[in-house]
Amino acid sequence: MDLVCHSCESRFTSTNRKRCACGEPLWFDIDSTQFDWTDLPRTSGVWRYADVLPADPAEDVTAGAGGTPLIRAERLDEYAGCRLYVKDEGQNPTGSFKDRGSSVGVTYADDAGRDWVGTVSHGNMAMSMAAVATSKGVNCAVLVPVRIPETRLGLIAQYDPEILTVTGDYGQLYYDTLDADGGIEFVNSDTPLRVAGQKTVAYEILESFAPETPDAIVLPVSSGGHASAVWKALRELRDATLIEKLPRIHLVQTAAVDPIAQAFRTGADSVEFIDPSDTVAFSISNGSPPSGNRALRAARETNGTVTSVSEEAIKEATRRLASNAGVCAEPASAVTLAGLNKLSQAGEITPNDEIVAIVTGTGFKESEIDIDVSTTDISLANLKKSLEEIAV
Amino acid sequence: MDLVCHSCESRFTSTNRKRCACGEPLWFDIDSTQFDWTDLPRTSGVWRYADVLPADPAEDVTAGAGGTPLIRAERLDEYAGCRLYVKDEGQNPTGSFKDRGSSVGVTYADDAGRDWVGTVSHGNMAMSMAAVATSKGVNCAVLVPVRIPETRLGLIAQYDPEILTVTGDYGQLYYDTLDADGGIEFVNSDTPLRVAGQKTVAYEILESFAPETPDAIVLPVSSGGHASAVWKALRELRDATLIEKLPRIHLVQTAAVDPIAQAFRTGADSVEFIDPSDTVAFSISNGSPPSGNRALRAARETNGTVTSVSEEAIKEATRRLASNAGVCAEPASAVTLAGLNKLSQAGEITPNDEIVAIVTGTGFKESEIDIDVSTTDISLANLKKSLEEIAV
């Protein structure tokens, strides 16, 4: 499969290449014209869509990544301002959407005879790459910044990767690993293999709705890799004539770090990098998004939006996802609900719109949200009376 | 559907009844003779098996609970002493197998017009019931002991149930809630509705293997409800003539709290309750298992075993599941791997046996296992050289 640039449309035959000469990220040029919902294997998960992926492990049992539930979250409709569905990506092997891209990336590298994979991440992607790599017996290098919380380090280290603490500009490191990989296949957040794997979430969503199409998909945006993947999937499904009109792609950032939203607001052609501020949504704190321009196009060309939400709104949305939909999400994922609330107030969406919020990761790993706890003391001796008083 | 006693075979038509007059737990009497793999809906998750369940929500999108991956974990074969598959129940909405029983229980109660459900739990089951209940707009009472870790309380409270801290014998409370429910449908760990929901894990496993059958299923045992459910499913599948011979059911406990394993070892007819000791596998610390006798039968009548493993073995197995299979399991789930290691040394299982270990819950919620963390410092300036030195 060739690689192609979303922007200048240059083509490259070497899959070692990750970025175009023009500076923009590449993705795989997939011929999806023959793809159909009726031809798919019984398997659930990412390999269900192997026909449109650059790798195929031919496994005989259910793969671990993907195949996550789509939940109708009607108790959040009023707050979200639409008919809300939650795609719960927290139900992946390492608790985040990253397992899709890691599975495709590691499988590809393994099939190509590579002994090492790597990634530049100190969060979900690091855990995901390390977990998938070790399950396949492939070595994994995880490049983290010097300052990293101890809890996070433990979560990554349990999967036994080679952890490299790197002194120097972490943003620049992202690009340098793509060039100087020293025999290591780096599957960073917007590389072609990762984007290919991540796009399966949109295939799953659209298959669940088929033959209908949701009105919009809302997701957090950080590096822009995930947004690019969703956009790519929708374009492929249009090529396959399985959808006519692309659902709108609404992207949401925290106002503390919102370079893509700033470009959207100002109508700029490209994203300017900024210094990130502290945020409870630490998983999407990326001031220098490598696929920022591609994400911006994804929103604009689907008639979508890029918006940003406050820290308070993110905390509120995190609490509501748990208390009204039973979904324990990380704050970086809850920006989707906060964003919908804001978009509905702005009239961008309406109550009858069917909208899917992608909750990208579980909140079980690290919580920074305070939960109000109230309890009532009762005694076993008075159980019956106490229960009757409660359930009146 | 009638309820029936596994032991004396008494029948009851009222589904309000949870236990037999003889003291043993009841389960639903399901006619599975017409059940077949080829008739199932496209839906993944517990409702795929609605034909053999006491409830059916007729939902139009994928349900959240169940539909978990079955992973071939070959890098653990040598340690486990068999061809190992992991059924990763940590990939449920609230991170544990409990979501299956909670979904069936809450759906049943909701359809029956009940406004309240409840449970006696301070762990996975409490979180699960609270999450499923709030997603359906049903009130939920969670009865916890007075002493409960703060982290745990926060995990439960996020789903906004009514938390009742109960003074008195927590073991007795389990039974008292089943009688004096005061309008609340209690879905405790071995009640008929929960057992019905939990059995879907065995349906999924057997469907994945069909037309073959795994040699054994290994799972942790605590109350005995889950073990009962797996046994029930296998019996139903035999009635449906979809399997000839029941896979062996191997149950594992921590040696710190192993009343069922003690009864198995001594050849006793019934389980004697004991006082629990401290254990890292806190989720299975039940000294008074309400379905202990039923679990004992499940193991004996399938030619299985009930074994117990040391705290050190549990920690070792937890680490190996992460570092060799990419599965972050709670210690209470890792007893399965520790148990297999012990059973293989005793000659109970052999390297060609195909065995499924049910990992009942994620390790992301609360970790008590120390992970060795080692890192290597490198500098961006020497990136290429550093990477080449690593990936030699």
Side-chain angles (χ1 to χ4, degrees):
Chain A
M1 283 176 191
D2 288 355
L3 292 166
V4 64
C5 175
H6 78 96
S7 180
C8 71
E9 298 184 9
S10 296
R11 303 180 71 83
F12 301 87
T13 51
S14 165
T15 53
N16 283 337
R17 179 136 201 161
K18 269 87 177 180
R19 300 191 75 89
C20 183
C22 78
E24 283 297 296
L26 300 173
W27 54 24
F28 283 97
D29 183 36
I30 304 279
D31 179 1
S32 62
T33 50
Q34 302 304 310
F35 181 85
D36 194 3
W37 300 129
T38 57
D39 289 340
L40 301 174
R42 205 185 68 178
T43 322
S44 164
V46 293
W47 304 116
R48 180 169 176 83
Y49 310 102
D51 284 350
V52 288
L53 294 175
D56 182 358
E59 282 179 8
D60 57 352
V61 291
T62 318
T68 58
L70 182 71
I71 302 156
R72 176 75 180 91
E74 40 188 41
R75 292 196 64 210
L76 288 170
D77 282 358
E78 193 178 332
Y79 189 73
C82 62
R83 290 175 52 83
L84 182 67
Y85 295 78
V86 169
K87 181 68 172 171
D88 188 0
E89 289 285 282
Q91 294 185 52
N92 270 298
T94 68
S96 91
F97 72 116
K98 292 289 188 182
D99 291 329
R100 296 176 185 271
S102 304
S103 290
V104 171
V106 176
T107 299
Y108 178 95
D110 191 26
D111 290 351
R114 294 248 188 175
D115 296 326
W116 279 84
V117 295
T119 199
V120 176
S121 164
H122 49 113
N124 287 322
M125 189 162 58
M127 298 170 212
S128 175
M129 281 296 287
V132 175
T134 195
S135 73
K136 289 187 165 286
V138 175
N139 298 300
C140 181
V142 173
L143 277 59
V144 304
V146 175
R147 268 187 293 180
I148 173 174
E150 205 175 327
T151 308
R152 193 89 52 84
L153 210 48
L155 283 166
I156 298 169
Q158 70 178 323
Y159 302 113
D160 204 24
E162 190 79 27
I163 301 176
L164 305 176
T165 46
V166 188
T167 313
D169 181 345
Y170 200 66
Q172 186 56 44
L173 177 66
Y174 185 95
Y175 298 101
D176 286 4
T177 53
L178 302 183
D179 294 332
D181 64 17
I184 301 174
E185 177 74 46
F186 273 89
V187 187
N188 291 350
S189 66
D190 83 332
T191 48
L193 286 168
R194 177 160 302 282
V195 169
Q198 304 299 160
K199 79 180 176 186
T200 58
V201 70
Y203 273 84
E204 285 180 13
I205 291 168
L206 274 285
E207 188 184 0
S208 295
F209 276 87
E212 306 296 316
T213 307
D215 295 295
I217 296 175
V218 54
L219 66 158
V221 62
S222 176
S223 72
H226 195 203
S228 303
V230 169
W231 187 35
K232 186 69 162 61
L234 297 179
R235 290 158 54 121
E236 289 173 10
L237 289 168
R238 184 179 54 192
D239 292 347
T241 68
L242 292 173
I243 57 175
E244 279 183 40
K245 196 179 156 209
L246 269 53
R248 301 171 75 186
I249 295 177
H250 295 299
L251 304 176
V252 192
Q253 303 205 282
T254 162
V257 194
D258 67 346
I260 306 173
Q262 287 184 24
F264 185 83
R265 273 198 301 273
T266 60
D269 285 338
S270 61
V271 175
E272 293 216 16
F273 294 173
I274 62 169
D275 287 327
S277 304
D278 281 348
T279 173
V280 68
F282 52 80
S283 293
I284 55 169
S285 173
N286 192 335
S288 318
S291 274
N293 296 338
R294 196 162 57 174
L296 193 60
R297 282 191 68 195
R300 282 198 179 129
E301 299 195 10
T302 58
N303 193 31
T305 60
V306 190
T307 190
S308 54
V309 291
S310 72
E311 294 291 300
E312 276 315 305
I314 296 170
K315 290 178 191 172
E316 173 69 18
T318 306
R319 289 191 200 98
R320 283 179 187 260
L321 274 166
S323 66
N324 286 320
V327 176
C328 174
E330 64 171 341
S333 301
V335 297
T336 52
L337 179 60
L340 287 172
N341 179 261
K342 191 172 170 183
L343 290 174
S344 72
Q345 287 174 20
E348 278 283 347
I349 61 173
T350 58
N352 284 327
D353 286 351
E354 301 223 294
I355 299 186
V356 179
I358 304 181
V359 166
T360 45
T362 180
F364 288 134
K365 290 182 193 170
E366 296 171 80
S367 182
E368 297 199 1
I369 303 285
D370 288 329
I371 302 290
D372 280 337
V373 177
S374 73
T375 61
T376 306
D377 294 331
I378 66 169
S379 146
L380 180 61
N382 297 317
L383 180 68
K384 195 176 164 77
K385 188 160 164 291
S386 301
L387 293 181
E388 281 167 358
E389 282 170 6
I390 289 159
V392 281
Chain B
M1 284 176 190
D2 288 355
L3 291 166
V4 65
C5 175
H6 78 95
S7 179
C8 71
E9 296 182 12
S10 296
R11 302 181 71 83
F12 300 88
T13 52
S14 165
T15 52
N16 283 337
R17 179 137 202 162
K18 269 87 176 180
R19 300 191 74 89
C20 183
C22 78
E24 283 297 296
L26 300 173
W27 54 24
F28 282 97
D29 184 35
I30 304 279
D31 180 0
S32 62
T33 51
Q34 303 303 311
F35 181 85
D36 194 2
W37 301 129
T38 56
D39 289 340
L40 301 175
R42 207 185 66 177
T43 323
S44 166
V46 296
W47 304 116
R48 182 170 174 83
Y49 309 102
D51 284 350
V52 289
L53 293 176
D56 182 358
E59 284 178 7
D60 57 352
V61 291
T62 317
T68 58
L70 182 70
I71 302 156
R72 176 75 180 91
E74 38 188 44
R75 291 197 65 211
L76 288 170
D77 282 359
E78 193 178 332
Y79 189 73
C82 62
R83 289 173 54 82
L84 183 67
Y85 295 78
V86 168
K87 181 68 172 171
D88 189 0
E89 290 284 283
Q91 293 184 52
N92 271 296
T94 69
S96 91
F97 72 116
K98 293 289 187 183
D99 291 328
R100 297 176 185 270
S102 304
S103 291
V104 172
V106 176
T107 299
Y108 179 94
D110 191 26
D111 290 350
R114 294 248 187 174
D115 296 327
W116 279 83
V117 294
T119 199
V120 177
S121 165
H122 48 113
N124 287 322
M125 189 161 59
M127 297 169 213
S128 175
M129 281 296 288
V132 175
T134 196
S135 73
K136 288 186 166 287
V138 175
N139 299 299
C140 181
V142 173
L143 278 59
V144 304
V146 176
R147 270 187 291 180
I148 174 174
E150 204 175 328
T151 308
R152 193 89 53 83
L153 209 49
L155 283 165
I156 298 169
Q158 70 179 323
Y159 302 113
D160 204 25
E162 189 80 27
I163 301 176
L164 305 175
T165 46
V166 188
T167 312
D169 180 346
Y170 200 67
Q172 186 57 41
L173 177 66
Y174 185 96
Y175 298 101
D176 286 4
T177 53
L178 303 183
D179 294 333
D181 65 16
I184 301 174
E185 177 74 46
F186 272 90
V187 187
N188 291 349
S189 66
D190 82 331
T191 48
L193 285 168
R194 177 160 302 281
V195 169
Q198 303 297 159
K199 79 179 177 187
T200 57
V201 70
Y203 273 84
E204 284 180 15
I205 291 169
L206 274 285
E207 188 183 0
S208 295
F209 275 88
E212 306 296 316
T213 308
D215 294 295
I217 296 174
V218 54
L219 66 157
V221 61
S222 177
S223 72
H226 195 203
S228 303
V230 169
W231 187 35
K232 185 68 162 63
L234 298 179
R235 290 158 55 121
E236 289 173 10
L237 290 168
R238 183 179 54 192
D239 291 347
T241 69
L242 292 173
I243 58 175
E244 280 184 36
K245 196 178 158 211
L246 269 54
R248 301 171 74 186
I249 296 177
H250 294 300
L251 304 176
V252 192
Q253 304 205 280
T254 162
V257 194
D258 66 347
I260 306 173
Q262 287 185 24
F264 185 83
R265 272 199 300 273
T266 60
D269 286 337
S270 62
V271 175
E272 292 215 16
F273 294 174
I274 61 169
D275 286 329
S277 303
D278 281 348
T279 173
V280 69
F282 51 81
S283 293
I284 54 168
S285 173
N286 191 334
S288 318
S291 275
N293 296 337
R294 196 162 58 174
L296 193 61
R297 280 191 68 196
R300 283 197 179 131
E301 298 194 10
T302 59
N303 193 31
T305 59
V306 191
T307 190
S308 54
V309 291
S310 71
E311 294 291 298
E312 275 315 305
I314 295 169
K315 291 178 191 172
E316 173 69 19
T318 307
R319 289 190 199 100
R320 283 179 187 261
L321 274 165
S323 66
N324 286 319
V327 176
C328 175
E330 66 170 340
S333 301
V335 298
T336 53
L337 180 59
L340 287 173
N341 180 261
K342 191 171 169 183
L343 290 174
S344 72
Q345 286 175 18
E348 279 283 346
I349 61 171
T350 58
N352 284 327
D353 286 351
E354 301 222 294
I355 300 186
V356 178
I358 304 181
V359 166
T360 45
T362 180
F364 288 134
K365 291 181 192 170
E366 296 171 79
S367 182
E368 298 199 1
I369 302 286
D370 288 329
I371 302 289
D372 280 338
V373 178
S374 73
T375 61
T376 306
D377 294 332
I378 67 170
S379 146
L380 180 61
N382 297 316
L383 180 69
K384 195 176 162 79
K385 188 161 165 288
S386 301
L387 294 180
E388 282 168 356
E389 283 170 4
I390 289 158
V392 282

